[in-house]
Amino acid sequence: MEHLIELRRRLMWSIGGFFVAFLFCFFFAKQLFNLLVVPFKWATQWAGLDPHKVELIYTAPQEFFFTQVKLAMFGGMVIAFPLIATQIYKFIAPGLYKNERNAFLPFLIASPILFLMGASLVYFFFTPMVMWFFLAMQQAGTDDQVQISLLPKVSEYLSLIMTLIFSFGLVFQLPVVTSLMARVGMLSSQALVEKRKWAIVIAFVVAAVLTPPDPISQIGLAIPTIILYEVSIWSARLIERSKERERLAREKREAAEKVAEKPADAPST
């Protein structure tokens, strides 16, 4: 019963934090959406167009409202994630040993940092590249061809950038996951090295599934995934070396304790 009460308290804190963050993001939803449109403006500049003429549309009366709700939910989850992760840690921490808590805490800090790194990469580089790729498909109207212009819907543009942020943020958690598995002995650096070829293939398959059907975003997600996989191998090796040093120090300490406990030889008569 005590565990259920504790779980309820942690859930109330998590849901309350998300609800407050959701209301905050919904109040500033239009400003946040305009902020997300900035990479689109950069792409228009790269394409040689006027960034002041960037136009998005919505074709249903309720579309932009639900787009703001979706944006507020996404922003609320991002803002409330540190609080939610902290509540999860506080719920499971009493069941862990001190060394396990000390080992788990750095990963709890690294996870949101890596997610923000992935989101920043999407915002400042890959979204402008993807939109520039789509803008390059426009067609100017002449006597022989019709004019084809890109007028993205607000909901579709938000879905695109949210998909990219989620995909890159998820992939950037790879070092955290592999390091945790190496810490508990479920994975080794040698196993990661042996599965490198399969990891490269899986990286491109996952990139094709998670990203829009354009080569820029797919290659752009696959390459960081492969780099992060190599970082995971390096991180697993560091953890294995650290565990080996701890094991040797523990064995040395136990041997010293046995020598100290051994009785002295009886004097000869």
Side-chain angles (χ1 to χ4, degrees):
M1 196 64 184
E2 293 178 357
H3 291 294
L4 293 177
I5 294 174
E6 178 70 12
L7 178 61
R8 183 184 64 178
R9 181 162 63 249
R10 300 304 174 190
L11 286 175
M12 290 177 63
W13 273 102
S14 300
I15 295 173
F18 168 74
F19 185 69
V20 172
F22 168 79
L23 292 178
F24 175 81
C25 292
F26 185 76
F27 184 78
F28 295 101
K30 289 185 178 180
Q31 290 85 344
L32 291 174
F33 191 85
N34 289 327
L35 186 64
L36 293 178
V37 176
V38 171
F40 190 12
K41 293 182 178 181
W42 294 340
T44 58
Q45 290 180 327
W46 296 355
L49 304 174
D50 186 4
H52 299 289
K53 295 183 178 179
V54 171
E55 182 180 0
L56 286 83
I57 63 172
Y58 61 96
T59 57
Q62 73 280 6
E63 181 179 349
F64 190 46
F65 171 77
F66 285 113
T67 299
Q68 294 181 67
V69 172
K70 186 187 297 184
L71 176 59
M73 293 180 65
F74 183 75
M77 182 59 67
V78 172
I79 294 175
F81 177 78
L83 175 63
I84 296 173
T86 302
Q87 296 303 312
I88 295 174
Y89 174 75
K90 287 184 177 180
F91 179 71
I92 65 175
L96 301 176
Y97 293 106
K98 183 178 180 180
N99 60 337
E100 293 175 337
R101 292 197 298 268
N102 295 334
F104 186 80
L105 190 58
F107 299 107
L108 187 64
I109 298 173
S111 183
I113 294 176
L114 289 173
F115 183 88
L116 289 177
M117 289 175 60
S120 300
L121 189 64
V122 169
Y123 185 85
F124 291 104
F125 182 72
F126 281 104
T127 299
M129 286 291 293
V130 170
M131 296 309 299
W132 172 80
F133 175 80
F134 292 143
L135 284 169
M137 296 182 178
Q138 294 185 121
Q139 179 175 285
T142 62
D143 295 336
D144 300 329
Q145 58 187 16
V146 299
Q147 180 173 348
I148 302 176
S149 302
L150 174 63
L151 291 175
K153 296 170 63 176
V154 291
S155 59
E156 293 175 348
Y157 178 78
L158 180 64
S159 297
L160 171 64
I161 196 168
M162 283 175 55
T163 300
L164 289 174
I165 290 176
F166 176 77
S167 302
F168 277 76
L170 186 65
V171 166
F172 269 63
Q173 303 303 312
L174 182 61
V176 175
V177 175
T178 53
S179 298
L180 278 173
M181 296 178 68
R183 173 70 69 177
V184 299
M186 296 177 60
L187 197 62
S188 66
S189 59
Q190 184 61 33
L192 292 173
V193 171
E194 293 174 354
K195 301 297 189 297
R196 181 185 279 120
K197 295 180 180 179
W198 288 101
I200 294 174
V201 175
I202 293 173
F204 280 95
V205 172
V206 172
V209 173
L210 294 180
T211 60
D214 65 277
I216 295 178
S217 58
Q218 293 176 2
I219 296 174
L221 180 59
I223 291 177
T225 304
I226 297 171
I227 295 175
L228 290 170
Y229 188 84
E230 297 297 327
V231 172
S232 301
I233 295 175
W234 174 75
S235 177
R237 285 173 177 169
L238 289 180
I239 292 173
E240 289 171 354
R241 292 173 185 172
S242 177
K243 292 174 66 176
E244 182 65 18
R245 287 195 297 267
E246 293 176 357
R247 184 184 66 81
L248 293 176
R250 185 174 60 253
E251 291 179 353
K252 184 177 180 180
R253 185 171 60 253
E254 291 175 353
E257 291 175 355
K258 289 180 179 180
V259 170
E261 294 175 357
K262 185 177 179 181
D265 294 337
S268 58
T269 58

